[in-house]
């Protein structure tokens, strides 16, 4: 079992960490790197041996494709082949949202290995808005990076969470502190559409439907004609704690069983509106301790889920958040955490 080294990347003194990560990646290693969404487990997007390690380390099925991260816009052409009918809208989207948490699913460049795309004709690509990740992508080139957790589990938003997930499985973690957004990127499949460009929303995230609507029509991922495209990555059960996890729409209808330890994942600190006073909880984590801010709740979501998972309770009860803006992404993650595993 390799020893996992953690290298600090303090603000304004990131060089050492960037050089170490770039060297490891060039040597065909996988490295956990901070991004603004969650920590990624990165490999050179053109190195099939390194890519295979990503799937092995994560125990991830190879039918689940990876997102390619780029550090400069011109690298988009080495990853994707952009047809004329969407060229304009891709330019608009990348100008508005990159670097940032928006992933575009586009026709692939044939040079991209099948392991990255699960053999699909499309590739998912984004430019991350994190100085460390961006600098490493600039030095090494496009990096394929899924979240740095074991498959199906909670995404890591700190270096210590990556250690919990992958210690002894990877050689290097770059510690860039907590992630600014806290949930994974928004993913859209970009099409020309009949009148306006059309974006099929494959995963809700920090870039909201409302923001995207300025550039085209946003449709739900359900209406898919191409079966191949719909198949990977849309797994209903995901982001799961090991502890039983339930999303309770109305606590008044919830039946607490005797002798069972319950933990609460609350939205607001305000007991009147939420579930804090509804039971003698064995553990409580509050996503937004003030009046409730969705952006703060997103940042704390996976951290709080991990805390409750480690607290020794038997059941985690999650309170819903308002389903607007980034709240759509939070509710998506809560529903998937609560979904039955196969
Ligand atoms: P992760 O890397 O764990 O954030 O997850 C990447 C997700 O991106 C996958 O699970 C898919 O849902 C999605 N994805 C990546 N590539 C494609 C693609 N070519 N078509 C559709 N979805 C994709
Ligand atoms: Mg993931």
């Amino acid at each position: 079992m390799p020893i996992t080294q953690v290298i600090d990347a303090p603000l304004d003194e990131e060089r050492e960490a960037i050089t170490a990560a770039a060297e490891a990646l060039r040597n065909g290693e996988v490295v956990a790197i901070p991004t603004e969404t969650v920590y990624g487990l990165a490999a050179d997007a053109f190195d099939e041996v390194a890519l295979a390690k990503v799937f092995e380390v994560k125990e991830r099925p190879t039918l689940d494709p990876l997102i390619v991260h780029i550090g400069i816009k011109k690298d988009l052409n080495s990853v994707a082949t952009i047809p004329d009918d969407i060229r304009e809208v891709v330019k608009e989207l990348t100008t508005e949202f990159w670097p940032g948490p928006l992933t575009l699913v586009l026709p692939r460049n044939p040079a991209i290995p099948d392991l990255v795309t699960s053999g699909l004709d499309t590739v998912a690509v984004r430019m991350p808005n994190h100085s460390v990740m961006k600098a490493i992508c600039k030095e090494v080139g496009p990096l394929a990076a899924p979240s740095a957790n074991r498959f199906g589990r909670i995404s890591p938003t700190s270096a210590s969470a990556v250690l919990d997930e992958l210690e002894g499985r990877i050689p290097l973690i770059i510690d860039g502190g907590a992630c600014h957004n806290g949930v994974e990127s928004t993913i859209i499949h970009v099409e020309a559409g009949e009148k306006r460009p059309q974006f099929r929303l494959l995963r809700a995230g920090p870039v909201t439907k409302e923001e995207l609507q300025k550039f085209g029509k946003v449709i739900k991922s359900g209406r898919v004609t191409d079966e191949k495209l719909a198949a990977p990555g849309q797994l209903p059960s995901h982001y799961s704690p090991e502890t039983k996890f339930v999303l309770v729409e109305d606590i008044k209808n919830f039946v607490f069983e005797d002798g069972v330890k319950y933990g609460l994942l609350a939205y607001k600190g305000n007991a009147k509106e939420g579930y804090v006073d509804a039971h003698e909880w064995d553990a409580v984590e509050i996503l937004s301790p003030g009046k409730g801010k969705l952006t703060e709740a997103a940042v704390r979501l996976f951290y709080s889920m991990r805390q409750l998972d480690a607290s020794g309770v038997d059941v985690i009860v999650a309170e819903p958040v308002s389903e607007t803006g980034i709240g759509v992404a939070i509710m998506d993650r809560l529903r998937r955490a609560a979904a039955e595993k196969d």
Side-chain angles (χ1 to χ4, degrees):
M1 215 194 249
I3 292 178
T4 303
Q5 191 191 0
V6 181
I7 300 183
D8 256 342
L11 220 57
D12 301 327
E13 282 176 62
E14 296 164 341
R15 197 19 54 197
E16 186 199 336
I18 291 164
T19 305
E23 192 184 309
L25 289 161
R26 280 198 210 93
N27 287 335
E29 274 308 335
V30 296
V31 181
I33 305 174
T35 82
E36 79 278 33
T37 59
V38 303
Y39 274 68
L41 181 64
D44 179 339
F46 297 97
D47 181 341
E48 298 197 42
V49 178
L51 291 167
K53 283 186 198 165
V54 170
F55 288 94
E56 192 188 314
V57 162
K58 280 190 59 118
E59 298 169 36
R60 177 172 170 129
T62 51
L63 62 74
D64 201 8
L66 307 177
I67 294 173
V68 179
H69 296 71
I70 56 174
I72 35 172
K73 277 194 190 158
K74 90 172 169 28
D75 276 355
L76 180 56
N77 296 316
S78 62
V79 176
T81 308
I82 301 168
D84 287 341
D85 60 357
I86 58 168
R87 191 176 302 277
E88 191 58 36
V89 69
V90 168
K91 187 145 187 264
E92 287 173 11
L93 290 169
T94 56
T95 303
E96 177 78 12
F97 297 107
W98 283 6
L102 178 68
T103 297
L104 304 179
V105 173
L106 299 166
R108 75 196 271 187
N109 182 313
I112 285 287
D114 275 341
L115 260 181
V116 171
T117 67
S118 307
L120 297 171
D121 305 332
T122 52
V123 64
V125 56
R126 83 174 184 104
M127 184 190 282
N129 188 17
H130 191 291
S131 52
V132 173
M133 180 62 160
K134 225 167 33 180
I136 298 169
C137 289
K138 269 189 199 156
E139 282 195 26
V140 183
L143 299 177
S147 49
N149 52 279
R150 277 171 279 155
F151 182 69
R153 293 170 45 105
I154 306 168
S155 300
T157 50
S158 67
S160 72
V162 179
L163 262 183
D164 282 350
E165 288 289 325
L166 302 178
E167 183 160 24
R169 294 179 180 219
I170 59 173
L172 182 59
I173 298 172
I174 305 301
D175 185 349
C179 300
H180 294 299
N181 287 131
V183 291
E184 301 83 351
S185 60
T186 304
I187 307 180
I188 57 171
H189 179 263
V190 183
E191 290 158 70
E194 277 174 24
K195 289 191 199 123
R196 299 184 73 199
Q198 189 162 286
F199 312 138
R200 195 181 306 135
L201 187 63
L202 298 176
R203 178 170 74 190
V207 173
T208 62
K209 187 178 166 188
E210 290 73 25
E211 289 175 285
L212 291 166
Q213 269 162 345
K214 290 180 210 146
F215 302 90
K217 188 175 170 198
V218 181
I219 58 168
K220 279 271 204 186
S221 63
R223 271 184 269 160
V224 179
T225 44
D226 180 356
E227 269 175 37
K228 261 174 94 187
L229 194 115
Q234 315 297 314
L235 304 166
S237 165
H238 216 105
Y239 315 104
S240 307
E242 276 167 75
T243 312
K244 185 176 165 56
F245 189 93
V246 285
L247 175 61
V248 176
E249 296 289 343
D250 186 351
I251 200 72
K252 287 191 211 86
N253 301 332
F254 186 76
V255 181
F256 290 96
E257 285 173 39
D258 286 345
V260 175
K261 286 192 205 155
Y262 291 94
L264 174 67
L265 183 64
Y267 172 30
K268 300 177 193 179
N270 182 342
K272 273 192 211 117
E273 285 174 52
Y275 300 172
V276 176
D277 280 351
H279 183 73
E280 288 212 4
W281 306 99
D282 281 89
V284 176
E285 284 289 328
I286 300 172
L287 292 178
S288 179
K291 286 189 216 138
K293 280 205 191 88
L294 288 168
T295 44
E296 183 184 32
V299 170
R300 291 174 48 80
L301 176 67
F302 291 138
Y303 167 78
S304 303
M305 279 167 69
R306 278 179 188 278
Q307 291 293 105
L308 287 172
D309 207 10
S311 71
V313 297
D314 303 310
V315 179
I316 300 169
V317 170
E319 196 178 296
V321 306
S322 25
E323 212 158 3
T324 56
I326 199 170
V328 177
I330 299 173
M331 284 299 283
D332 167 70
R333 305 306 187 271
L334 292 177
R335 288 197 184 99
R336 290 207 237 185
E340 290 292 326
K341 291 173 201 152
D342 290 333

